[in-house]
Amino acid sequence: MDRYERILTLHRLLKSAHYPIPLSRLLGELECSRATLYRDVAFLRDALGAPIESAGTEQAAFRYEVGEGERFELPGLWLTSDELAALLALNELISRSGPGVLAGALAPFKARIEGLLSDQGSGKALPIERIRVIPWGERKLDQQVFRIVAGAVLERRQLRFRYRARTTNADSRRTVSPQRLTHYRDNWYLDVWDHDREALRSFAVDRIVEASSLDQAATDVSEGDLNDLLASSYGIFAGKPKAWATIRFSPHAARWVAEEHWHSQQKGEWLSDGHYELKVPYSNSKELLMDVLKYGPDAQIVAPIPLREEMKILLQLARDAYKSSGE
């Protein structure tokens, strides 16, 4: 940890502490020597004006003065290396949005971020071109539709649009109360209360056309109810879980699958033979089956039996397709 990060970490520790922090804890948090810590404390107090005081205890301890500490902030903008990396990634995300959605709205932020990134330490501009974000499966999005949808979400207004379902291409008109926008796997989805169907639904924004914001206030659904229906099952598909899938991975694939996040309620277990079993709740099997298929022979659905049989049918259909094309 360099001096810049030590000063920032020291400030945040003192800022959040309700009681004096012992010297031993500060040394452990900052990973430095006693002499270095005292120099940092002196710099924070004398050069930056921090209201640091030594506590009257048997061992050395420091804290911010009550009242003064709550008002004190470091001058300028201070970022840790993790925060700086996140800012670099955000800058790259804004850059690759190009002339499409959000680019115009985010342009002022992009300029500000680039200014901040060149104002760290020595003042030299950081090589932001060395941060690369690669989109995967990103679908074309109508910028005007996105702005109308996002505006209705933030302004809490009802929304009317025409929707073309991706799987069936069925066309329908909807009047909804938008609840939240979700960015999932490089695409945007809109969670809503559908007034015609009197139920929660989720729509792919790229399939929305002829969107218009209405004057009527949106009906709000609690976050708990939204998560119960729209976030409790695997993937983007809505619905409460109907079953738990058990997927067994080979020792080869287990090395990285064990560290992957598939679902907030997932359960993982190492088996004695080196295999790894992952359990996730699901409602609609489509996305889960696609994700398991990408592991090929290194993944096998163990349970439930209907899901296992569904996978067998998919594999047989794929095999038959290859037979047909080879003849």
Side-chain angles (χ1 to χ4, degrees), residues 99-115:
V101 65
L102 295 180
L106 292 177
F109 295 98
K110 181 178 182 296
R112 177 62 175 153
I113 289 173
E114 289 178 345

Side-chain angles (χ1 to χ4, degrees), residues 87-320:
L87 199 56
L88 283 165
L90 176 59
N91 185 74
E92 176 61 20
L93 280 169
I94 295 174
S95 297
R96 79 168 173 83
S97 66
V101 65
L102 295 180
L106 292 177
F109 295 98
K110 181 178 182 296
R112 177 62 175 153
I113 289 173
E114 289 178 345
L116 292 173
L117 293 177
S118 64
D119 194 30
Q120 302 291 322
S122 65
K124 295 181 179 179
L126 294 173
I128 58 177
E129 70 279 358
R130 294 189 178 274
I131 300 292
R132 188 166 62 135
V133 178
I134 302 176
W136 184 90
E138 184 177 14
R139 301 190 292 265
K140 185 178 180 181
L141 192 62
D142 187 296
Q143 184 177 6
Q144 181 62 21
V145 168
F146 182 86
R147 287 176 175 169
I148 293 172
V149 169
V153 171
L154 298 176
E155 294 170 5
R156 311 306 305 128
R157 297 290 182 183
Q158 291 186 25
L159 189 66
R160 182 174 293 144
F161 56 80
R162 186 161 62 92
Y163 189 73
R164 297 173 296 186
R166 179 168 298 280
T167 53
T168 64
N169 207 36
D171 199 303
S172 62
R173 293 190 177 273
R174 307 293 182 109
T175 300
V176 305
S177 283
Q179 303 299 315
R180 61 189 180 189
L181 274 170
T182 300
H183 191 254
Y184 178 72
R185 298 193 177 189
D186 269 333
N187 290 287
W188 289 97
Y189 297 86
L190 177 66
D191 298 336
V192 308
W193 173 259
D194 191 318
H195 290 282
D196 297 324
R197 290 155 181 78
E198 296 186 345
L200 288 169
R201 292 288 187 267
S202 186
F203 297 97
V205 178
D206 60 283
R207 303 295 291 180
I208 293 175
V209 296
E210 300 176 14
S212 60
S213 180
L214 307 180
D215 292 333
Q216 292 92 329
T219 299
D220 288 333
V221 178
S222 70
E223 186 174 359
D225 289 340
L226 285 171
N227 290 334
D228 283 345
L229 188 66
L230 302 176
S232 58
S233 293
Y234 184 83
I236 196 62
F237 292 102
K240 291 187 176 181
K242 65 180 182 182
W244 281 74
T246 300
I247 311 150
R248 183 176 299 160
F249 294 90
S250 70
H252 172 70
R255 291 175 296 174
W256 57 82
V257 173
E259 299 179 356
E260 291 180 350
H261 176 83
W262 286 51
H263 191 271
S264 60
Q265 300 177 36
Q266 69 185 46
K267 302 175 183 177
E269 179 184 7
W270 284 96
L271 304 182
S272 58
D273 59 0
H275 286 74
Y276 183 79
E277 281 194 352
L278 179 69
K279 297 182 179 180
V280 294
Y282 73 97
S283 173
N284 187 310
S285 62
K286 182 177 180 180
E287 186 176 354
L288 178 59
L289 291 172
M290 293 298 102
D291 285 343
V292 175
L293 276 172
K294 71 182 182 181
Y295 286 92
D298 286 314
Q300 177 188 164
I301 292 178
V302 178
I305 296 301
L307 185 65
R308 181 180 173 88
E309 293 303 315
E310 198 174 346
M311 177 62 87
K312 286 182 179 179
I313 293 172
L314 280 178
L315 292 171
Q316 185 61 53
L317 290 173
R319 183 180 179 184
D320 292 344

Side-chain angles (χ1 to χ4, degrees), residues 3 41-50 72 75:
R3 189 186 189 194
V41 168
F43 176 79
L44 186 57
R45 181 187 59 228
D46 301 333
L48 301 180
F72 175 75

Side-chain angles (χ1 to χ4, degrees), residues 2-16:
D2 60 22
R3 189 186 189 194
Y4 182 92
E5 288 205 50
R6 287 199 315 272
I7 294 296
L8 177 56
T9 302
L10 178 59
H11 165 70
R12 290 181 174 176
L13 288 170
L14 297 175
K15 183 83 172 177
S16 61

